[in-house]
Amino acid sequence: MKRTPAMQPPGVQTRVVATRVLDAVLHRGRSLKAELAQALPTLPDPRDRALVEAICFAVLRQPARFESALSSWMSKPLGYRDGDLKALLFAGLAQLDPLKLPAHAALAATVDAARAIGRTHQAGLVNALLRRAQREGIPAGDAHAHWPAWLRERIANDWPQDAAAILQASVAEPPMWLRVNRRRATAADYLQRLRDAGLAAHPDENAPDALRLETPVAVAALPGFADGDVSVQDASAQLVAEALSPVAGARVLDACVAPGGKAAHLLERDATLQLSAIDIDPQRLARVRENLSRLKLGGSIRLAAVDAADTAAWWDGAPFDAVLLDAPCSATGIVRRQPDVLQHRRASDLEALTATQARLLDALWTTVAPGGVLLYATCSILKSENEGQVEAFLSRTPDAVAEPLDDRFGRVAGAGRQRLPGELGYDGFFYARLRKRSA
Ligand SMILES: C[S@@+](CC[C@H](N)C(=O)[O-])C[C@H]1O[C@@H](n2cnc3c(N)ncnc32)[C@H](O)[C@@H]1O
């Protein structure tokens, strides 16, 4: 008999949910974010939701390690119809290492989950494999074998000295960075509030509003989160506002705004900005509205769901003093936060992305006032999307000049700066500040 969730011992449903999410991401090309958004609300207890997330991220940061351990331990490889069983086994292994959950409870819940997903006849096998992992440990194997070969080659070519560190940074659990809402508190004051709440955190030498938590927590545990005192945002994303630094009262465009982290930061820093913001994706634009409303910034921005490159459709012809193009990109700088990027990314996507970036750069440049600035940013580490893109833009755009950025933004990369993932605990990011010559 299949047990219903109500009859299951504690923790089984979390393993079942993690298995379904992982199976969908690993074997059906689904996005981790979308699957989690659907699955997590089925779990009422926030601790269960946190555990599902932890298991899924731990598996997707190193699926190749679990795959090679299982294939060395099993005489017959799992078949293509065994996707759910494989996902369950990966979830079981990740609980032992790297998550280091108490082994007895993790094993019992995972074996019960095998029954709950209709794999009763393989519950013994799951038990035996997980016990072996517990006894012998899970070999490190090639933790990066799940990187597509073309992408590993690109990284090796672009960053010969750093390629190993880049791959390694994708495996580690990233720190949780907060952005303190300057309008409501200084970073120093909020740091004290965190300490009072028993949460240890550290300021950052480059990003003035950033605090790095020693241990990630659920946002509900952050003092004043619901009131908009603080947001979650990596330090390198926070540096975008620093790199743009529009002057007081400036007319600013955020051309790819969703979900709105950088737009919100710009408004927190300066209430006098006249900010317009657009994004091609209406659903993602709804997230911007939610975020701004929590931060009580909703009234200060004009929003529209349009293709930024189609200026005829949305631009009234009044030039902007500052334009932020936080461009759609390969997300290769944030693999540690979006590990499923590696499951889904194809070499052909990259060509499409670089073409879109170039189209956006050219179209948005027409909206920049003479003497104004466009900040081009990506969370990519690939030169074709970053310094190569900017170099090509500069060579076809005679009225554009690159302005130097200082070393808060990482190493010099052509006309911009590149932060590699893991450096200073940051995500990988690229920034280029392009000034339009005055007429
Ligand atoms: C890197 S994300 C932006 C993140 C955002 N700036 C933030 O800080 O929250 C890129 C965004 O570009 C949007 N996008 C992609 N193509 C676009 C286009 N042609 N016009 C406008 N937005 C576009 C995507 O929908 C996505 O929301």
Side-chain angles (χ1 to χ4, degrees), residues 233 254-262 278-281 284 306-309 326-328 356 359-360:
Q233 187 180 41
D254 184 339
C256 291
V257 65
K262 300 177 191 81
I278 56 186
D279 198 284
I280 201 165
D281 183 335
R284 285 173 61 88
V306 288
D307 176 355
D326 186 24
T356 300
R359 200 166 61 90
L360 285 165

